[in-house]
Amino acid sequence: MYALAIIRYRRPFEEIAPYVEEHRAYLKDLQAQGLLLASGPFDPRVGGGLLLRVPDADGPAALDRIRNGDPFTRLALAQYELLPWNPVIGKEGLDTL
């Protein structure tokens, strides 16, 4: 199962900035587990996006764990919008990542 996560900051970026490295370390761990395919901030810096791949059998629960484990969520700095996604064009390329 693929999913898009839209992360929206709940506070001004100046209050988010001290926690960006902790957030990125969390994302690197998700990438090492094969759950995160890509991530990055929006421009302007109002949040960011994640492209996720989680096991089909555990999809919704896995997405909840990803959201809840993020330091941005635990510290109430941002909110997640989790969107299960069914890519059609380009799926073969994603499947090889």
Side-chain angles (χ1 to χ4, degrees), residues 10-84:
R10 300 174 86 185
R11 299 180 185 194
F13 182 71
E14 297 76 35
E15 294 179 38
I16 304 289
Y19 304 96
V20 167
E21 287 309 311
E22 184 180 356
H23 167 73
R24 287 185 177 165
Y26 174 72
L27 297 180
K28 287 177 185 176
D29 183 55
L30 292 177
Q31 184 181 37
Q33 294 176 54
L35 301 172
L36 175 67
L37 300 179
S39 68
F42 295 138
D43 185 15
R45 207 69 189 264
V46 295
L50 310 177
L51 175 56
L52 302 161
R53 179 174 49 208
V54 297
D56 289 344
D58 191 35
L63 293 175
D64 287 344
R65 283 192 302 274
I66 288 169
R67 178 197 60 225
N68 295 342
D70 190 327
F72 283 178
T73 300
R74 288 187 286 106
L75 297 168
L77 298 173
Q79 66 185 37
Y80 268 65
E81 181 178 0
L82 295 166
L83 304 166

